[in-house]
Amino acid sequence: AGLQQIAQPSLYDGHTTTVEKHEIFSQDNLEKSEIARVMSCLQRELNDFSFNKSNDELQKQSELVGSMFRLRLKELTDAKTGLDGQLEKTYQEISSVEDSLHQLREALRSKDR
């Protein structure tokens, strides 16, 4: 805009440049940088979406695993309670059989006398 045209191109490192070429190069550079910025924003949004989706899925899995664990723990606790009850009954039966044996021995001793 505020650049003046030079009639003769300048020579830098074996390359010639004119104001028009410089403006075109600068405009191309701006367009490329804008595209890169937009792509970076889109990538950031995609990453945020992916992280949020992964987080939601992991949260659901965690809740499901916790729920299944609590259910399994209740099943095991109920099973243990049932087995403890059976064990107590078994102890009572053993004690009853031992008492019966003791009474039978006493009866046999008193009969032999």
Side-chain angles (χ1 to χ4, degrees):
L3 299 174
Q4 298 176 3
Q5 270 195 345
I6 299 177
Q8 296 206 352
S10 2
L11 184 62
Y12 296 102
D13 297 332
H15 299 294
T16 58
T17 184
T18 62
V19 172
E20 292 85 16
K21 285 182 180 178
H22 182 69
E23 286 178 353
I24 291 170
F25 173 78
S26 296
Q27 187 61 34
D28 287 345
N29 216 13
L30 287 173
E31 289 171 3
K32 288 177 184 177
S33 66
E34 179 63 16
I35 290 170
R37 186 190 68 78
V38 169
M39 294 301 289
S40 174
C41 289
L42 291 174
Q43 184 66 50
R44 194 172 319 129
E45 288 177 15
L46 179 63
N47 289 346
D48 287 344
F49 175 77
S50 295
F51 290 146
N52 289 333
K53 185 170 176 59
S54 295
N55 184 52
D56 291 345
E57 289 174 5
L58 289 173
Q59 187 67 33
K60 287 177 186 175
Q61 287 178 7
S62 173
E63 290 169 5
L64 178 62
V65 167
S67 175
M68 296 306 291
F69 179 77
R70 286 187 294 278
L71 180 63
R72 183 68 177 140
L73 184 61
K74 183 179 180 338
E75 290 173 354
L76 291 173
T77 302
D78 291 347
K80 182 185 179 300
T81 302
L83 290 172
D84 286 343
Q86 289 178 4
L87 182 62
E88 184 60 35
K89 287 178 184 177
T90 303
Y91 285 151
Q92 289 173 358
E93 287 179 26
I94 290 171
S95 178
S96 174
V97 168
E98 286 175 345
D99 288 345
S100 295
L101 283 174
H102 181 66
Q103 289 173 1
L104 284 173
R105 285 184 188 137
E106 289 297 319
L108 285 173
R109 283 187 195 138
S110 59
K111 186 178 178 184
D112 287 340
R113 287 185 193 162

